[in-house]
Amino acid sequence: MSSARFGVVLAWVAVLIYASSNSIVTLLTNIGAENLVYGRNAITFCNLLFLGSLISLIPMVFFFWRDWTRENLRKLTKSDWVFLTTSAFLSSALTPGLFFFALEHTTVTNVVLIGRIDPPLFLLAATFLLKEELDPWAFAGGIIALVGAVVMIALKEDSTSFSFGKGEIAAVLATLSFIASTLVTRIGLKGVPLGIFTIYRTALGTVVYFTWAMYLFGPHHFQDLFQPVVLKWIWVYAVIVIIVGQFAWNLGLKYAKSGDVALATSFSPLAAILIAMLLLGEDPGAGLIPGALVILLGIGVAQYGRWKRDMAEKQASQKSLELEGSVNFKGA
């Protein structure tokens, strides 16, 4: 198997793992509810997030410790540290905290569908805030996929199955926080080594989340963190989602073409819904097929635009080579 095909396979593996992450988290909390400790569910969303983040630092340090040199740290400016700290708060504390809160109060399917506001909103934000050129095909594809999500929600058989409650509001806020963290990263962290960025963001975000949870919920909030049932099942989340997921994703990005990675990630929402059906028995309702078809149409539109752009760039490159070849004198 060539390295390119190997990268494509790993990219799809990573996408499927990340698509299953919400369902795995919900499934683990359900297991905790069936194995109470002194009448309490020890496998809470907070325990999973905090302990999982701590465990995730192990592979990060293993892969990226070489970036933590005195020379690299001296190069960082005050502005870099401000952006690093902001990114850590948004991406490793606020965003996952809101997503976990959303999962605690609504279904995985609803969280996934609400997340479809991400692609078009991010493209607009990148256009107006980062002054990047708007890709009309990608934007159109994102809007069409969002319409598919609306169709899926609107055609649910039980009219009470979807209500815009605190879980759905948290999902919207989590998506907005994720967009903001991505923008912060792209604006201010281009020159920061990946290892410093990844480890600092995760470590500080974990500390912030722990402090925040202790302040909001009290000193007994993490009292069941090291209960045997938690230590037994946390490895399902840590090994599958964090370690294998990150390993496959990093290698997929390294060896696969960007178009192949983009195509794999496009199917993430549909994969997440199907996995929620298999693992949790969630029923998306009668809107599954028509909504999925509309989402697939959106994916197709975005992929067509990407293919068209790549062909245009390839033709321009070939034309440039032809013009260069027609010139006999190329200088001394």
Side-chain angles (χ1 to χ4, degrees):
M1 181 183 293
S2 66
S3 58
R5 286 188 178 181
F6 181 63
V8 171
V9 171
L10 289 178
W12 277 96
V13 169
V15 166
L16 291 176
I17 288 175
Y18 288 145
S20 68
S21 61
N22 289 338
S23 294
I24 291 175
V25 167
T26 302
L27 185 64
L28 291 178
T29 59
N30 291 341
I31 292 175
E34 297 172 357
N35 298 273
L36 299 178
V37 176
Y38 303 113
R40 301 186 301 269
N41 184 350
I43 309 179
T44 63
F45 288 99
C46 287
N47 284 346
L48 285 175
L49 177 55
F50 177 67
L51 194 55
S53 296
L54 288 180
I55 294 174
S56 72
L57 286 170
I58 299 174
M60 289 182 190
V61 172
F62 178 78
F63 282 112
F64 300 123
W65 64 270
R66 291 180 180 86
D67 286 344
W68 283 78
T69 63
R70 289 185 178 181
E71 182 180 356
N72 284 340
L73 291 173
R74 286 173 180 171
K75 290 180 181 178
L76 298 181
T77 64
K78 290 183 179 180
S79 177
D80 290 331
W81 286 111
V82 170
F83 279 109
L84 273 169
T85 303
T86 304
S87 176
F89 172 74
L90 291 173
S91 62
S92 297
L94 184 59
T95 299
L98 287 170
F99 269 124
F100 275 44
F101 182 87
L103 289 172
E104 194 172 6
H105 293 87
T106 188
T107 65
V108 171
T109 300
N110 286 350
V111 172
V112 171
L113 292 177
I114 290 172
R116 288 301 83 209
I117 67 174
D118 176 10
L121 282 183
F122 176 75
L123 288 173
L124 287 176
T127 300
F128 290 107
L129 298 179
L130 304 183
K131 307 302 179 183
E132 296 183 1
E133 182 180 357
L134 178 65
D135 185 341
W137 289 100
F139 182 73
I143 293 295
I144 294 172
L146 179 58
V147 171
V150 173
V151 169
M152 203 174 292
I153 291 172
L155 294 181
K156 283 196 171 185
E157 295 177 1
D158 185 357
S159 60
T160 63
S161 61
F162 183 86
S163 58
F164 207 78
K166 53 187 178 181
E168 288 73 22
I169 293 174
V172 172
L173 294 176
T175 303
L176 295 177
S177 177
F178 174 75
I179 293 173
S181 67
T182 305
L183 292 174
V184 168
T185 301
R186 296 185 67 164
I187 291 173
L189 299 177
K190 293 182 179 180
V192 177
L194 179 61
I196 294 178
F197 166 69
T198 304
I199 295 175
Y200 180 84
R201 180 183 64 176
T202 303
L204 181 60
T206 302
V207 172
V208 170
Y209 180 77
F210 177 80
T211 305
W212 180 30
M214 291 286 285
Y215 174 76
L216 291 177
F217 305 114
H220 300 295
H221 189 63
F222 293 102
Q223 61 182 326
D224 299 321
L225 186 64
F226 297 108
Q227 289 291 339
V229 67
V230 178
L231 297 178
K232 174 184 177 180
W233 290 103
I234 187 64
W235 292 102
V236 174
Y237 174 72
V239 172
I240 295 177
V241 177
I242 298 176
I243 298 177
V244 176
Q246 287 185 357
F247 179 77
W249 181 246
N250 289 331
L251 288 181
L253 290 178
K254 181 177 181 179
Y255 293 112
K257 296 180 180 179
S258 58
D260 293 327
V261 174
L263 179 61
T265 55
S266 297
F267 286 92
S268 179
L270 290 180
I273 292 173
L274 293 176
I275 291 171
M277 293 172 61
L278 292 174
L279 293 183
L280 304 175
E282 290 190 2
D283 182 13
L288 174 61
I289 293 179
L293 290 175
V294 176
I295 292 176
L296 288 174
L297 175 61
I299 294 172
V301 168
Q303 290 299 322
Y304 173 76
R306 185 174 288 108
W307 172 81
K308 190 175 181 180
R309 185 180 64 250
D310 291 342
M311 289 298 296
E313 292 176 354
K314 187 175 181 180
Q315 290 174 358
S317 177
Q318 290 176 346
K319 184 66 174 178
S320 176
L321 290 174
E322 291 173 2
L323 291 174
E324 182 180 357
S326 65
V327 180
N328 292 325
F329 178 72
K330 294 183 172 59

